[in-house]
Amino acid sequence: MLIKTSIRLFITTLICVVVSTKLVQSASDETFCKREVIFEYFGWRIHRTICEYWLRVHHAFTLAYENDRVVPKCTFPGGAPRPTCLACKIQNSSDCTVYENVITGDGIYRRVIAINGTTPGPKIEAKLGAQVVVHVKNDLIDEAITIHWHGMFQFKTGFMDGVPMVTQCPILGGQSFTYRFKADPAGTFFYHAHTGAHRNDGLTGPMVVYEDEEPNKGRYSFRRVPEDNIRAPPMDHHTIMLQDWSHRPTREVFLIQNGGGGFYPENPFFPEGTSRVFNTRGPDNVAIAGIPYESGTINGRGRYTKPLFFQDSPNSNLVPYERFYVTRNTPAWRYRFRMICNSIQYAYRVSIDAHPLTVIASDGFDIDPVEVQSLIINPGERYDFVITADKPGQAYWLRAESLVYTMDDGVPIDEDVLAILQYIDPLTGVIQSFEDDIVSVPHPCTATSKCKVLNCPFTNFPPDRHTQCISIGDVKRVGVANRWEKVPGSPPMSFFGGPWDPIDADEQIFLNFHFLNSGPAINGKSFVAPTSPPLTQPDSVPEAFETCDFSCDQDDSADGCKCTNVQELKYNEPYQFVFSNAGVGGANGGAPHPVHMHGHSFVVMKVGFSELDQNGKFVKANDDICCPCPDDETKCCTNIQPGGTDFGNVGLTISTRGRVPCNNPRWRNNNWNILPNSIPGLNFKDPIRKDTIIVPAGGYAVVRIQADNPGWWFLHCHVEIHALGGMTMMLNEAPRMQKRLPPPRDFPTCGNFDWSAFAHYIAAKRTLRRQSVFDFFELLSKYSNDDFMKAGSKMKEMKLGTSIPRRTSGGAGTLNGNIQLSRTADGRISLSSTGRTEAIDAEENTFMQGIEAMFKAKGTSRK
């Protein structure tokens, strides 16, 4: 045993120099920000800080390097174990590299989308107010992309928001697109694809915007980041990108649930009936997903050890875990971790063994610090927390536990996503711990010492988990004076507090997130994307939309419909959104929904939850929400189950066979509908800001914004499967103001195309060597003026011959009245109008250009 320990100590000491050197090198990476002169005129200069990045998006495979598959080599030639394995080529086992050069995923071979050779992509960093420039090159084989800058306000640059067919046209394969926008607000964010299912296949990466003054900077070892030398400080360089992970492309995962019958077989070639997946469920017995939980990664690394469908024994998987390095010091240093959830569907409960988490920010905005044992993070959310590096051990496990419980005995599945918190000793340097030597365990939660958990999607875990849930609605903001006027639509603190613009009844917008026969929906409408982006091609509206029929959001429409769901907002008015999760396909028949709003952060006024029993299981939806009865919309049918509040109204659901779609929800208390400020429990004093919030199953979230950012903004559930299915909509904010914010010159356009049988007839009649009468007739058909149509008809009757010699022309005259076509004695073409003849000069332009110039001179517009 002593010899084994000595060998391990020698090995770890030997590699400490290498790892320490790597850490030093990473701290001196090239900076991408610098102060530049962007305009100069007679000595007058405009300076701006420009942070410029280049992203190449391409396909790749996990466990591949230099066009070869790699396998782990975990021992030295003499047989001694390596602290971390090398990646060695299958065709040449002596040709090895470190796993930092390999996309590992969870150790299972699959195709992914990479950015500059990695997934997730490189971190984008900037100072608050800097101009961020990102050049995106799409080298995918057969797919178009866009990139969304999740959490950025995009004030006055909505066309940079990156939503296909809403703010821009997709970037086709081989094309490039340059995003430019202001880094605002400050905090933790990320960028990701907004096309198809690319986000979860790897097209994503972290983004951090630093500021000089942070309200919570005293909570960790804060250091100011220079404006023109962006580099994360030593105690603020840890970024956690957490997500669930599938061994199939995400589009297949979507199709399995939407068209594949729910079959998610162990053996894809010979599925059995038992292979069909209906739902996975959480601790409250509410559905989480229509797919089984497979795996997860932290910063693109994980370790899947269960047998694959063709294996009889567990998978031998030795790909490395992600490691986060901290230094043991006296006094102890405090490190900030910035955590991002990029999941397809699953939320995670995150903790670090032996280290309490002090949560200081959510979605980029500072909060009054909350110390917890763990926190729950949902798709699209970000949380910043601080740990104190004062523990004696060498390494500890960072754990991300899915909220999935087994269907049979109702206990949590034992499939944590793991990473390593590795301590550095200031005297001996890095001692790379062997994974087998890490003996840390989760903090014990007991009946007398309950573990605090932040951001639960329910009021409490089952009692045997010994936890205390802290709702995100109970968290307070920090860093801003507690002035009521900071909350949109709230009353002033005193008579002299300034004007009051209260929330009116028509400025309270109810949006119910649920599932109907039409698919995932909001208020009964499954979203159909426009055929042209309305923000940058406003002339395409409304032809580019699939219009929502009046019956779509009626309460007797249990099937729902597919259409382009739009909500218009007036400029600079306060709005209160009530996100609910009720009715058929909602509550315990749905799933929790993390709702994300583009172009804004919102203040969280209140969060309401469903009712649970003593064992933490779902009983009924929150009675604050009224789902109108299909056969009498004046009555509520939110809880018509036996023993439910509305059981007496079950007879008012005959037309929908007992289903309550809840397409048009409202408050049960009508005073709350008339006077939104009268709702009990609204936090007017110190609500936090977020841009993504979990809407509990059977519950609701009340948020407010000021509609001061003109544009077309996406609002959607950030569960990828739900969004792909249609749980999305558009906010058309301040339509008149949008005209003042046009896109840049030559901004790409796109849309549908169609042409008529007659247009094809004219095209087919063209001659290849000479211009014919049909060329002129085709040109005439582009104009709406009836005189030109008549001229076109006359031209066919005149029978000028089979072709007209190709000539150049440049002159153009003003035409009035009827037009006739004739030929002069020298063979040139002339147009006659009301007795006056204009000959076409055969010197400069082509014959057709001369004709079109004459039409333009007449002021005729195209169709």
Side-chain angles (χ1 to χ4, degrees), residues 373-386:
Q373 176 268 342
S374 57
L375 67 90
I376 294 174
I377 187 168
N378 298 280
E381 287 189 307
R382 291 89 63 212
Y383 282 94
D384 296 18
F385 62 84
V386 173

Side-chain angles (χ1 to χ4, degrees), residues 761-809:
Y761 168 77
I762 295 300
K765 286 292 186 177
R766 291 173 178 169
T767 61
L768 297 179
R769 306 182 73 177
R770 295 181 179 180
Q771 287 183 316
S772 71
V773 69
F774 292 100
D775 293 310
F776 183 39
F777 192 61
E778 181 186 15
L779 181 65
L780 291 173
S781 68
K782 298 178 182 179
Y783 295 86
S784 59
N785 191 296
D786 290 339
D787 290 338
F788 291 128
M789 294 298 98
K790 294 176 182 177
S793 299
K794 284 181 175 292
M795 199 173 70
K796 291 190 68 176
E797 297 172 3
M798 292 173 69
K799 297 181 181 180
L800 293 176
T802 57
S803 64
I804 300 174
R806 184 179 183 88
R807 296 180 182 276
T808 58
S809 57

